[in-house]
C-alpha cells in the first residue's frame, strides 16, 4: 500500500492551474511514474480531455490519451500510477461517483478543489466512500 505520493511542485501546480482554468468543468489527466511499495513517485503529468457526458460533475479521460499514455509509459519503463481530476463545486475528497468508478485497486486518485490537492489510493475497503484511503502528498524537488 502506498503511504506517500511524491510529486514535483511544478507538476502539482500545473494540475491546480488546470482545475482553476475552467472552474465549471472537471479537469482530468494521468499520473505517470513508478511505485516502490510505500512510495509512489510521479514523473510526468499528462492532461486529457474530459469526455464525460456531464463534465460539470464527472470525468472520463479521453480514450486516445489513455491508450497512448499507457503505451509511452511502458516504453519508458514507467507506468500509469493513477489519475487526477477536479471537483469544481466540491471538496478535494473522493465522491460516491469516484468510488463507483474506482475499478483498479492500488491506483492513486489526486483530487483538486478550491486550490487544494489531496491524494488517495483506491483500496478494497477504505474510510472514504468505502473505497479510498488517504496518502500523504509530498511535493519534492
Amino acid at each position: 500500500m502506498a503511504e506517500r505520493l511524491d510529486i514535483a511542485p511544478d507538476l502539482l501546480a500545473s494540475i491546480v492551474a488546470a482545475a482553476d482554468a475552467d472552474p465549471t468543468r472537471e479537469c482530468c489527466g494521468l499520473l505517470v511514474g513508478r511505485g516502490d511499495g510505500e512510495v509512489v513517485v510521479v514523473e510526468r503529468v499528462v492532461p486529457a480531455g474530459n469526455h464525460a457526458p456531464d463534465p460539470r460533475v464527472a470525468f472520463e479521460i479521453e480514450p486516445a490519451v489513455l491508450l497512448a499514455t499507457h503505451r509511452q509509459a511502458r516504453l519508458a519503463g514507467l507506468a500509469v500510477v493513477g489519475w487526477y481530476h477536479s471537483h469544481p463545486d466540491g471538496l478535494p475528497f473522493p465522491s460516491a461517483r469516484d468510488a463507483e468508478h474506482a475499478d483498479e485497486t492500488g491506483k492513486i486518485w489526486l483530487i483538486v478543489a478550491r486550490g487544494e490537492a489531496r491524494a488517495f489510493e483506491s483500496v478494497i475497503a477504505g474510510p472514504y466512500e468505502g473505497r479510498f484511503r488517504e496518502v500523504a502528498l509530498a511535493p519534492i524537488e
Side-chain angles (χ1 to χ4, degrees):
M1 284 192 174
E3 295 297 328
R4 191 177 82 222
L5 178 69
D6 289 354
I7 184 169
D10 61 321
L11 294 179
L12 187 56
S14 72
I15 294 170
V16 173
D20 290 344
D22 186 350
T24 64
R25 297 171 51 98
E26 290 195 15
C27 72
C28 60
L30 299 154
L31 304 172
V32 176
R34 57 184 92 238
D36 184 15
E38 295 181 358
V39 179
V40 175
V41 179
V42 174
E43 296 189 14
R44 280 194 307 134
V45 169
V46 180
N50 184 344
H51 283 256
D54 187 354
R56 294 172 300 158
V57 296
F59 80 98
E60 182 179 313
I61 292 174
E62 184 178 1
V65 173
L66 182 63
L67 291 172
T69 302
H70 273 286
R71 190 176 321 110
Q72 292 164 356
R74 262 193 319 274
L75 291 171
L78 302 172
V80 173
V81 296
W83 24 86
Y84 67 86
H85 74 286
S86 61
H87 286 172
D89 293 323
L91 297 172
F93 294 94
S95 67
R97 183 183 309 262
D98 293 337
E100 289 174 18
H101 297 284
D103 298 334
E104 293 183 66
T105 299
K107 292 295 186 180
I108 298 296
W109 289 61
L110 185 66
I111 303 172
V112 179
R114 301 178 183 178
E116 180 183 2
R118 296 179 86 108
F120 301 85
E121 179 182 29
S122 57
V123 294
I124 300 292
Y128 293 94
E129 297 296 335
R131 192 69 172 98
F132 299 95
R133 56 183 287 283
E134 191 159 13
V135 174
L137 185 58
I140 58 165
E141 294 301 324

